[in-house]
Amino acid sequence: DYSSMKAKPGAVEAIAEMQAAGLDVWICTKNTPENYSCASDKIGWVRKNLGAEMARKTILVPDKTLVSG
């Protein structure tokens, strides 16, 4: 369950700084098909810790090496 996980120190502030600098910040995370609630749990964590905008800008993939950037 991701709901009890805390953000790494400085991570929330770093995202805010990048956004303030005009960068288009997205999150890419791995979806675990064996855990049926993984996708919704991760989106919920992002919404709770980083806000609804970042939740909409979260990409769930089976293999992050498939995403460039």
Side-chain angles (χ1 to χ4, degrees):
D1 182 14
Y2 296 94
S3 63
S4 62
M5 291 180 66
K6 304 242 185 280
K8 297 272 186 184
V12 174
E13 296 81 8
I15 289 173
E17 288 176 21
M18 289 185 282
Q19 290 171 323
L23 297 173
D24 187 19
V25 181
W26 287 72
I27 295 172
C28 180
T29 187
K30 182 179 178 180
N31 186 27
T32 306
E34 297 82 18
N35 177 349
Y36 296 117
S37 66
C38 177
S40 60
D41 289 349
K42 284 188 173 189
I43 295 293
W45 185 93
V46 171
R47 179 174 279 113
K48 176 184 170 188
N49 291 276
L50 302 174
E53 178 187 355
M54 288 308 299
R56 287 188 296 273
K57 296 176 79 174
T58 299
I59 302 166
L60 294 152
V61 295
D63 180 355
K64 290 190 275 187
T65 64
L66 298 173
V67 179
S68 64

